[in-house]
Amino acid sequence: MDVAYVCEWERRPKSNHCPSIPLICSWSCRNLIAFTTDLKNEDEKDLTYMIHIIDTEHPWDVYSINSGHTEVISCLEWDQSGSRLLSADADGQIKCWVMMEHLVNSWESTLGSAVEGDPIVALSWLHNGVKLALHVEKSGSSNFGEKFSRVKFSPSLTLFGGKPMEGWMAVTVSGLVTVSLLKPNGTLLTACESLCRLRGRVALADIAFTGGGNIVVAATDGSSSSPVQFYKVCVSVVNEKCRIDTELLPSLFMRCTTDPARKDKYPAVTHLKFLTRENSEQVLLCASSQVGSIVECWSLRKEGLPVNNIFQHRSPVVGEKQPMILKWRILSATNDLERVSAVALPKLPISISNTDLKVASDTKFCPGLGLALAFHDGSIQIVHRLSLQVMGMLTSPASQRDEPAIKRSRATGVLVHFKALQLSWTSLALIGIDNHGKLHMLRVSPSMGHTLDMNTSLRHLLFLLEYCMVTGYDWWDILLHVQPNMVHNLVDKLHEEYMRQNQALQQVLSTRIVAMKASLCKLSNATMARACDYHAKLLLIAISSTLKSLLRPHLLNTPDKSPGERLSEICAKNTDTDIDKVMISLKTDEFVLDASTLQSLQQLIQWVGDFVLYLLASLPNQGSPVRAGFGFLRDGPSLGMLREMMVVIRIWGLLKPGCLPVYTATSDNQDSMSLLFRLLTKLWLCSRDETHPTEPDDTLIDECCLLPSQLLIPNMDWLPINDGVISKLQNKQPLRLQFGKPYSLPGLNSSSQVEVFSRSPGSQKMDNLRCLHMGICPTEDSKACTRCGCVTMLRSPNKTNAVKQWEQRWIKNCLCGGLWRRIPTPLS
């Protein structure tokens, strides 16, 4: 493990950002991190409990919320989509936070529930019934369905038709369980019930789910000499009211209390966790004293019930089986450890069958197998989730600090250690909040430090990239481990695996894999131009599908194929280089739109026209793969898509000449669209057959060489520039960042900046999705993508239906699938 970056608060004399109470943090599947602090007011009498939300790519852009909680926040939980957050406090208040306008730095609490005066000790969203298993032994399979299998799993509660009902569940310190259900009309249905008839104090609790739709709660009163109790909870809706039924399950006593040598050594249970939320049969326990800790892993197993001797000689009944009972058995325990301050459990759903565990051991594939333990001396250990054997270590973060040791010891008598710890969703990164309020981002090697050959390392990263592609989870933490020399091979292997899938799955994942390739290519100067091509491809796919969706058949009794499908079919068969002859072969009455709609689409049409011109003008330089557009010159499907768009635009130009792309030509009587279509068709014919592409002939190259003297070639300033931190972490040197202050040191592209990324200080800012110029100093509120840096205005300047249809595509996510964050409007 090594430190990727550290983000800290600016030291201010009148305000105390350093928390004086235990911190908690939570990491979502979209790589958003929420953590809490308490801030003292200037009079230092009252505490304000804050929730801070960041995305891992821009950790300095912290969004701080005054939570409104009146007591210390005890729980934070993201939902399965990573777009909603639950917070609970020591006064029994639970709040549900949602993204406002789908912006990661704009949150509001809209719903909540409460168990007045009863502190919350455990909190969880109800399960939605979706569970995947990741099979390491099938990592070499060509079928994604075998590598990542869907496990039969029932939701905690279902609506009519089997749809999972959303809601949350909490356990209080007095032994109550409370459930809040989100009804389809937006209201809450809440119920409260005791875990058992004899209520007792619950100091620690955790929640897990079973495949049958039940919920299991583990609870302890905090004493290691007391039993750890388990309860089954069933939630149902009867007569529009929420009903909770509870049942006592087998309990356990910690091994350390029965060991004579350790009987009174570790009096308090400090951590109680199910190993995974979907596995209620394995639990992790940590007992501690003031100076040390011990960790135990337990498993619930079925065992045969011994029969009394009286019944041994009874003749057995046909089909009778030995009675079975459930019993907790200890799997493993550690030796005496330094005092544990925080625990982080893996979220990767790795299959723990014997075969999978053996393959993982042989190939040194460690993600999902290890859990993290942080200690009061500042160190962190990754231990095996079943055997609790040490897999990797990190030294004290105190040694990473800039100040000399003497100065540190004089300033604070307390060692720097982690108060909160969370593993990422692929277990390749670890976030820690220390007792000074600093946020540490740590890399966790997929092989846990073992030296592997390049092919095995690539296979591990490829396996996890495929998992993110299938699930839709963010893959930022995987990029932490991709070195520039790996990028080319990873992109090629990812494409090979994608092409092995069936056609239906390829269609579902078509844009996600392009976005993944783009983010990989940005990590190396050698492949930076390919990243530009992938962004252009995403935009081209989106524009093509939008424009085709506007076409309507002129008769109600429509044939099997839509006008867009017929357009693609006819353009693929008709290889004529004359755009008007191709246009005549189409039913042009299906392309009729009103003039205002066509005019509103002019910016997208202009982008298509400019991009075709740029590509053709760059053909003479086709031998240079570091030039943007190079990837399109051999991409038959994309060139065919551009050709289709040119035909559609030509037809629409007859209806509304004002919607046509504007070219600056040297000759007044030149038909620019016909010229570009002719050259584009020749280039498309060279790469139409992907198995046997041909080289462009000299005549075509000569004609493309003349283009700059016939038409003004547009620049490529519409490409987004990513200002995130990932490209600055490749040299393995940890970054020191400060909340609220953007990181501005030279990045990866400073020395050899790709031509299309160079921007003069006074250049126009672009709305990358609407293809509009916003001016040098935009006054409009804007948002940017957390992944690719794409910028677009928050409010639409155009109200026509066609533009609304285009903009609705990007309300929740950028075209690369990244999340949006609001960017401040420049003052000058």
Side-chain angles (χ1 to χ4, degrees):
M1 287 191 292
D2 63 282
V3 179
Y5 59 72
V6 180
C7 213
E8 60 184 325
W9 300 103
E10 181 183 1
R11 300 189 183 279
R12 298 176 186 170
K14 289 190 178 182
S15 119
N16 179 15
H17 278 278
C18 298
S20 58
I21 52 175
L23 286 158
I24 51 171
C25 65
S26 188
W27 194 329
S28 84
C29 63
R30 305 300 300 275
N31 277 322
L32 295 179
I33 291 168
F35 61 100
T36 64
T37 60
D38 62 317
L39 299 184
K40 287 183 180 177
N41 294 337
E42 289 189 12
D43 57 8
E44 296 199 356
K45 290 181 181 178
D46 298 322
L47 285 174
T48 304
Y49 299 100
M50 307 292 292
I51 297 175
H52 310 282
I53 296 174
I54 61 168
D55 73 275
T56 51
E57 180 72 333
H58 304 86
W60 56 81
D61 186 14
V62 61
Y63 181 71
S64 300
I65 310 165
N66 185 340
S67 68
H69 286 292
T70 55
E71 295 292 337
V72 57
I73 299 171
S74 55
C75 301
L76 282 178
E77 283 291 326
W78 290 100
D79 73 344
Q80 289 88 350
S81 68
S83 59
R84 288 180 300 182
L85 179 70
L86 288 177
S87 63
D89 66 16
D91 190 39
Q93 301 290 327
I94 302 172
K95 296 191 176 190
C96 178
W97 302 87
V98 295
M99 282 189 199
M100 301 304 295
E101 298 180 306
H102 306 285
L103 300 170
V104 299
N105 50 2
S106 181
W107 294 80
E108 190 174 285
S109 176
T110 54
L111 290 168
S113 60
V115 187
E116 294 294 341
D118 206 351
I120 306 294
V121 293
L123 180 67
S124 174
W125 290 89
L126 297 181
H127 205 281
N128 62 359
V130 177
K131 183 187 176 185
L132 280 181
L134 184 141
H135 300 281
V136 183
E137 66 161 322
K138 299 290 180 85
S139 59
S141 170
S142 60
N143 186 350
F144 284 172
E146 292 180 2
K147 296 179 184 181
F148 320 110
S149 65
R150 180 78 178 263
V151 179
K152 189 176 180 181
F153 209 86
S154 298
S156 303
L157 190 62
T158 53
L159 294 165
F160 179 76
K163 182 182 178 184
M165 191 169 190
E166 295 183 315
W168 60 81
M169 172 185 169
V171 180
T172 72
V173 76
S174 70
L176 287 177
V177 57
T178 176
V179 174
S180 298
L181 304 176
L182 284 166
K183 294 173 73 176
N185 61 7
T187 58
L188 269 184
L189 202 60
T190 304
C192 202
E193 188 63 59
S194 175
L195 274 173
C196 62
R197 290 181 183 177
L198 188 63
R199 284 172 62 183
R201 179 175 180 268
V202 176
L204 296 171
D206 199 20
I207 301 167
F209 303 93
T210 69
N214 294 321
I215 305 164
V216 177
V217 173
T220 174
D221 63 5
S223 171
S224 60
S225 59
S226 300
V228 179
Q229 302 279 7
F230 295 85
Y231 307 90
K232 184 169 79 172
V233 180
C234 302
V235 182
S236 56
V237 177
V238 181
N239 298 328
E240 291 295 310
K241 289 185 179 180
C242 181
R243 177 179 169 180
I244 303 171
D245 295 302
T246 62
E247 179 186 329
L248 193 62
L249 296 176
S251 58
L252 67 87
F253 281 91
M254 287 193 69
R255 169 69 64 85
C256 62
T257 60
T258 59
D259 183 355
R262 294 192 179 104
K263 188 174 182 183
D264 301 315
K265 192 172 182 179
Y266 302 110
V269 179
T270 52
H271 298 87
L272 164 63
K273 299 276 187 185
F274 286 107
L275 282 182
T276 63
R277 274 283 157 92
E278 285 97 6
N279 185 355
S280 61
E281 297 177 356
Q282 288 181 335
V283 69
L284 187 83
L285 295 162
C286 175
S288 303
S289 64
Q290 290 298 317
V291 293
S293 296
I294 190 166
V295 177
E296 297 178 359
C297 182
W298 289 74
S299 177
L300 186 65
R301 296 177 181 176
K302 279 187 178 179
E303 293 185 359
L305 189 65
V307 181
N308 193 285
N309 291 334
I310 298 173
F311 304 102
Q312 290 289 350
H313 304 292
R314 182 175 63 88
S315 57
V317 180
V318 177
E320 185 180 29
K321 294 180 180 178
Q322 183 184 15
M324 306 292 285
I325 59 165
L326 291 171
K327 196 168 186 179
W328 286 99
R329 291 288 185 189
I330 190 163
L331 275 180
S332 52
T334 63
N335 294 321
D336 296 338
L337 303 169
E338 178 70 28
R339 190 178 171 200
V340 173
S341 61
V343 177
L345 296 170
K347 301 181 182 75
L348 194 70
I350 185 169
S351 170
I352 52 172
S353 68
N354 291 334
T355 314
D356 283 300
L357 288 174
K358 185 179 186 309
V359 173
S361 175
D362 293 343
T363 60
K364 302 295 186 289
F365 181 83
C366 300
L369 286 179
L371 56 93
L373 301 176
F375 300 97
H376 273 266
D377 64 358
S379 63
I380 295 177
Q381 288 184 5
I382 305 287
V383 299
H384 196 282
R385 58 186 284 184
L386 299 179
S387 67
L388 298 182
Q389 296 296 313
V390 177
M391 301 169 71
M393 294 185 70
L394 177 77
T395 54
S396 166
S399 62
Q400 317 270 344
R401 298 176 68 194
D402 295 333
E403 302 97 329
I406 299 173
K407 186 177 178 182
R408 282 202 307 272
S409 60
R410 197 183 313 145
T412 62
V414 182
L415 274 174
V416 177
H417 62 271
F418 290 110
K419 303 285 280 185
L421 215 57
Q422 279 269 309
L423 278 163
S424 70
W425 283 66
T426 61
S427 298
L428 292 190
L430 188 66
I431 197 86
I433 315 283
D434 68 23
N435 53 337
H436 290 268
K438 291 184 182 179
L439 181 144
H440 301 249
M441 175 64 68
L442 314 172
R443 292 183 183 89
V444 181
S445 165
S447 62
M448 216 52 75
H450 291 96
T451 305
L452 300 177
D453 61 271
M454 181 63 82
N455 284 336
T456 308
S457 297
L458 284 174
R459 195 162 66 244
H460 289 173
L461 293 175
L462 181 67
F463 189 39
L464 293 171
L465 284 170
E466 291 166 354
Y467 169 72
C468 289
M469 186 160 60
V470 170
T471 57
Y473 295 159
D474 195 273
W475 54 87
W476 181 90
D477 45 337
I478 303 174
L479 301 182
L480 283 173
H481 301 271
V482 178
Q483 293 302 304
N485 60 341
M486 296 180 176
V487 171
H488 191 273
N489 286 337
L490 261 182
V491 170
D492 287 351
K493 287 179 182 297
L494 195 64
H495 182 74
E496 287 174 17
E497 292 298 322
Y498 168 79
M499 294 306 292
R500 291 177 182 173
Q501 310 311 309
N502 60 56
Q503 200 64 38
L505 186 57
Q506 283 188 30
Q507 196 169 350
V508 170
L509 304 177
S510 58
T511 53
R512 202 172 289 165
I513 188 175
V514 177
M516 194 171 274
K517 289 176 181 176
S519 57
L520 284 167
C521 287
K522 282 188 177 179
L523 302 179
S524 167
N525 280 324
T527 54
M528 189 67 70
R530 289 178 70 179
C532 305
D533 292 349
Y534 290 129
H535 278 293
K537 189 168 184 175
L538 286 170
L539 194 53
L540 173 61
I541 292 169
I543 291 176
S544 172
S545 59
T546 299
L547 298 189
K548 284 181 180 178
S549 69
L550 295 172
L551 309 180
R552 294 288 183 269
H554 63 291
L555 296 174
L556 290 177
N557 54 340
T558 56
D560 293 337
K561 293 181 180 177
S562 66
E565 290 171 330
R566 282 202 298 280
L567 168 70
S568 300
E569 192 176 88
I570 291 170
C571 287
K573 289 178 180 176
N574 193 330
T575 59
D576 206 303
T577 57
D578 188 336
I579 191 169
D580 293 320
K581 288 182 180 177
V582 177
M583 185 177 67
I584 290 169
S585 62
L586 292 165
K587 294 181 179 179
T588 51
D589 48 0
E590 295 180 338
F591 292 74
V592 176
L593 295 175
D594 61 90
S596 61
T597 299
L598 292 174
Q599 192 59 50
S600 68
L601 297 169
Q602 204 279 330
Q603 285 82 14
L604 302 183
I605 291 171
Q606 182 70 47
W607 181 88
V608 174
D610 285 348
F611 191 61
V612 169
L613 176 54
Y614 174 84
L615 282 182
L616 292 170
S618 65
L619 182 61
N621 297 319
Q622 60 177 316
S624 172
V626 296
R627 184 179 173 87
F630 175 80
F632 279 88
L633 301 178
R634 294 288 183 274
D635 187 352
S638 295
L639 293 174
M641 209 181 293
L642 284 167
R643 192 165 170 267
E644 293 167 17
M645 291 300 98
M646 293 286 279
V647 174
V648 173
I649 292 166
R650 182 72 162 194
I651 297 171
W652 285 347
L654 300 175
L655 302 170
K656 176 68 176 175
C659 78
L660 288 170
V662 178
Y663 297 105
T664 305
T666 54
S667 173
D668 293 335
N669 58 359
Q670 177 176 282
D671 188 346
S672 302
M673 282 203 71
S674 291
L675 170 65
L676 293 177
F677 184 83
R678 181 168 57 81
L679 298 177
L680 179 64
T681 301
K682 288 183 177 180
L683 181 60
W684 168 68
L685 289 171
C686 294
S687 53
R688 182 175 57 158
D689 185 357
E690 293 184 47
T691 54
H692 299 93
T694 58
E695 290 296 318
D697 57 22
D698 293 341
T699 310
L700 174 58
I701 293 175
D702 290 342
E703 287 187 89
C704 290
C705 283
L706 293 173
L707 275 178
S709 63
Q710 297 170 305
L711 296 165
L712 180 66
I713 309 301
N715 59 24
M716 296 284 278
D717 60 356
W718 48 267
L719 283 166
I721 298 178
N722 187 12
D723 60 344
V725 78
I726 192 69
S727 60
K728 303 173 179 69
L729 299 173
Q730 304 307 306
N731 57 7
K732 297 282 186 171
Q733 292 298 314
L735 298 180
R736 301 197 63 80
L737 309 170
Q738 204 169 82
F739 289 119
K741 290 190 177 180
Y743 182 67
S744 56
L745 290 179
L748 178 74
N749 311 318
S750 56
S751 57
S752 55
Q753 200 168 41
V754 180
E755 174 193 350
V756 292
F757 281 114
S758 57
R759 303 281 192 275
S760 60
S763 62
Q764 293 255 354
K765 303 293 189 297
M766 284 293 297
D767 184 320
N768 300 123
L769 286 184
R770 296 184 179 92
C771 304
L772 289 171
H773 288 278
M774 298 193 295
I776 296 172
C777 294
T779 56
E780 291 291 323
D781 290 334
S782 300
K783 58 185 179 181
C785 174
T786 57
R787 182 183 289 159
C788 71
C790 179
V791 175
T792 187
M793 288 180 283
L794 269 175
R795 307 282 175 264
S796 174
N798 199 319
K799 303 299 181 185
T800 60
N801 288 331
V803 173
K804 283 182 182 177
Q805 180 185 339
W806 170 253
E807 291 171 351
Q808 280 297 317
R809 287 171 169 262
W810 323 117
I811 291 293
K812 291 185 178 180
N813 302 105
C814 172
L815 57 86
C816 73
L819 294 167
W820 294 114
R821 64 187 182 102
R822 185 193 292 268
I823 51 178
T825 307
L827 298 176
S828 61

